[in-house]
Amino acid sequence: MARVNVRQFFRRTNLLLMIFSIVFIFLASSDYAQILFRVDWFLRWMPKLLMSWVVADVIYQLVSRTDQIGLWLRRFLVILLWSAVTLSYGWLRLPNYQYSLGHQKVFYAFILIHSLSFYLHQINQAQLKRYIGMLLQRPAHMMVLSYTALILLFTVLLLLPISQYGYQEGGLSALNALFLTVSAICVTGLAPVDIASTFSPFGLGVLVLAVQLGGIGIALLGSIMLYVRRSVGLSGRTLLAYSFSDDAVSDVGKVALRVIWATLIIELIGASYFVWHFFVVQEYLLMPALGHGIFFSISAFNNAGFSLFTGGSLESLRFDFSFLWMINLLIIFGVVGFNFIFYELNRMKRALGRYLSKGVDHLNRTQVTMNNSTLVLRSGYGSILLMVVLFFLFYAFEHPHSIYVLSTAQQYIESAFLSVDAKTAGFMSRDFTTLRFSTQGLFLLGMFIGGASGGTAGGIKLNTILVIFAGFRAFIQQRPLAKIGQMSISWEDVRRANILFISAILVVILATFALSITERVQEPFAIFWEVVSALGTVGTSLNYTSDLTVLGRIVIMSVMLIGRLGALTLFSFAQEREVKKEPSYPLGNVYIG
């Protein structure tokens, strides 16, 4: 009993130290940092106390496993080395730089990782499996916890001195770091600071990793790891299906692995082209060209819209066709969705098999059955068609206004990039405040709709619009079920699509109203644009993001999270609730309209 109590004491203390380290790093990066300078004893003695705890923690681990010390040393060698690095940094750095918050933040990051490692290894394996099982039974809870944990982790990493330029002059504030992390995880691209001049190569690597995890889906990655270990049940596969809108729950693990491979291949092709472009055409050095190539490939395919150019704008490459066409191609792959890509690849393989075998299709046995193939094709081709329509409309609206001074080729390049960018990409090749109001309205519509389900694009998704129109047509024609092509749509799916659409409208109205109260700079249309851009996880702005107040940034962060997780969590929470029996009441006649 005493041994169990001691173990609980060390585990709970490590949990408190994790929370304490995160709070310190946030405070040291906020406007309250000066308060820490005034508490001399805290900066001087707290690190020594924490180093003593690290030593005590390691000693306890060694003493509690004396019967299998050799196995424990081999298994926990990395953790022991990390503890040694933590102690070395504390003894060598802090005594001479005890008033440098930069070194203090690095030390507390070491403590955070040390406490997290020991906390996880002190959890009973049976208890850990029970926790994981409970989360798999509640997909929405798992998604929210995953996003919350990743947001906290990447925010802490962005606040470290190694991630920033000029941290000794103040560095990135905690609120801006949190805003950028949420924007990256939600693949939005809104940035209150210039990321190119703010972050070091390490910080940019952290940011693009957050974009990658957010674009491909945290729940997707977590479920894949569990699936590979053959420990995923029906609920876990259901979570994986929710993560990229696939109804084939039984084969979702295989589909998920295909998503990973498709992402890596597409991004590798894009990165190779961008590296060549920056190295040969732009005459960058090899390492900067490599970094820019990887960053732009991941940012474009995941529809994030982050840029490494000054001010986050692509205006310096506004008419560089060889650069913009690859940006557009990667965006389109993300917009049409993985399901569309897989279906078309499978159809081309079958066509090639029939051609090579002179009419005998030997590839039928590898055909992937998709219950929603009609909807996948219509949403994919519909997204492409919508971009073509936007291209002609943008050209017609802006030709007599802002692009008439350009050459014909430049006018086409400008209109094509705007039409693709409006589908939630977020790259800004020009100042959007100079666009006509009609063009801005079309752009807002494109941001709100977004791309096809199952891709990296945001918005309410074109699939949702198709289902709503199918339901409306079935209601007008008094049909028992809605239909899209040769596929029937249940009224439950129509109801969910309508709930999603109405919820998005309500979020836009409420968030716009909230910002009209919190913001000092009252620009109604710019506020409305900012909200729609955040909800659609687009990232374009009318030069308003940096002017947001503290409360305004909290509102926009909330809208970004709703835009990324809203539909998933809404439907999952509805399924996770226990349905209580309620008394039946007589039906009433309600006057509508």
Side-chain angles (χ1 to χ4, degrees), residues 269-439:
I269 294 174
S272 301
Y273 183 86
F274 286 133
V275 170
W276 172 84
H277 184 274
F278 283 110
F279 184 67
V280 177
V281 179
Q282 299 292 328
E283 297 182 348
Y284 281 44
L285 296 177
L286 180 59
M287 292 307 296
L290 183 63
H292 278 64
I294 295 174
F295 188 96
F296 274 101
S297 179
I298 294 176
S299 181
F301 177 69
N302 291 287
N303 284 209
F306 285 112
S307 171
L308 294 182
F309 296 115
T310 303
S313 173
L314 299 181
E315 194 163 0
S316 60
L317 299 175
R318 181 178 175 184
F319 305 116
D320 189 339
F321 177 77
S322 64
F323 179 82
L324 293 182
W325 81 267
M326 179 56 76
I327 290 283
N328 281 354
L329 186 62
L330 291 173
I331 293 172
I332 292 172
F333 275 125
V335 165
V336 297
F338 291 110
N339 291 332
F340 178 81
I341 295 173
F342 295 153
Y343 191 88
E344 287 299 320
L345 287 176
N346 190 66
R347 189 162 64 172
M348 287 189 291
K349 286 169 61 178
R350 294 200 308 273
L352 180 62
R354 286 194 296 269
Y355 175 77
L356 295 178
S357 58
K358 297 181 180 180
V360 180
D361 187 1
H362 295 292
L363 297 179
N364 280 334
R365 62 180 181 275
T366 62
Q367 180 178 356
V368 178
T369 302
M370 298 181 65
N371 298 327
N372 58 348
S373 58
T374 302
L375 185 58
V376 167
L377 289 176
R378 294 204 175 191
S379 61
Y381 286 120
S383 297
I384 296 174
L385 178 61
L386 183 57
M387 286 184 278
V388 174
V389 172
L390 289 176
F391 164 76
F392 287 107
L393 290 177
F394 285 154
Y395 180 81
F397 291 162
E398 292 300 319
H399 177 70
H401 177 61
S402 64
I403 63 175
Y404 73 96
V405 295
L406 306 177
S407 65
T408 303
Q410 290 176 339
Q411 292 178 17
Y412 290 154
I413 293 174
E414 181 87 352
S415 301
F417 189 77
L418 285 176
S419 65
V420 176
D421 200 42
K423 301 297 292 180
T424 79
F427 289 103
M428 298 183 65
S429 61
R430 56 172 295 166
D431 185 0
F432 282 11
T433 60
T434 61
L435 295 173
R436 295 182 64 184
F437 183 75
S438 56
T439 308

Side-chain angles (χ1 to χ4, degrees), residues 35 63 88 91 132 145 158 243 287 403 405 418 524 567 571:
I35 298 177
V63 172
S88 300
W91 286 112
I132 294 177
L145 288 175
L158 290 181
S243 63
M287 292 307 296
I403 63 175
V405 295
L418 285 176
F571 300 147

Side-chain angles (χ1 to χ4, degrees), residues 17-186:
L17 285 180
M18 284 189 286
I19 299 174
F20 177 75
S21 300
I22 293 174
V23 171
F24 178 89
I25 294 174
F26 271 80
L27 286 177
S29 305
S30 67
D31 296 334
Y32 301 99
Q34 295 301 323
I35 298 177
L36 297 175
F37 279 111
R38 299 173 185 174
V39 189
D40 179 70
W41 63 268
F42 180 85
L43 295 178
R44 185 182 299 273
W45 292 104
M46 184 55 70
K48 296 180 180 179
L49 181 61
L50 293 177
M51 286 187 287
S52 301
W53 169 259
V54 171
V55 174
D57 204 1
V58 172
I59 292 175
Y60 168 73
Q61 296 295 326
L62 291 173
V63 172
S64 62
R65 291 175 171 82
T66 53
D67 54 336
Q68 45 183 349
I69 188 67
L71 177 62
W72 187 87
L73 285 174
R74 290 194 300 271
R75 186 174 297 177
F76 298 96
L77 181 60
V78 176
I79 298 178
L80 288 177
L81 290 176
W82 185 265
S83 301
V85 171
T86 302
L87 293 173
S88 300
Y89 188 90
W91 286 112
L92 296 176
R93 286 288 188 180
L94 294 188
N96 297 325
Y97 302 94
Q98 59 188 7
Y99 295 108
S100 172
L101 286 181
H103 291 90
Q104 291 272 350
K105 286 195 291 186
V106 173
F107 175 74
Y108 278 92
F110 280 129
I111 292 294
L112 173 62
I113 297 175
H114 165 86
S115 300
L116 177 62
S117 302
F118 275 88
Y119 177 81
L120 293 177
H121 286 95
Q122 287 166 353
I123 295 179
N124 184 275
Q125 293 297 318
Q127 188 179 14
L128 181 61
K129 290 181 179 180
R130 185 166 65 253
Y131 287 156
I132 294 177
M134 291 173 58
L135 287 175
L136 287 176
Q137 297 298 326
R138 295 174 173 82
H141 289 75
M142 186 172 182
M143 300 235 5
V144 171
L145 288 175
S146 300
Y147 271 74
T148 302
L150 265 294
I151 287 172
L152 286 176
L153 173 61
F154 281 101
T155 301
V156 170
L157 290 176
L158 290 181
L159 288 174
L160 296 180
I162 192 176
S163 300
Q164 306 172 36
Y165 291 126
Y167 69 90
Q168 294 178 345
E169 288 77 23
L172 188 69
S173 69
L175 181 62
N176 284 339
L178 180 62
F179 189 97
L180 275 170
T181 303
V182 173
S183 182
I185 292 292
C186 297

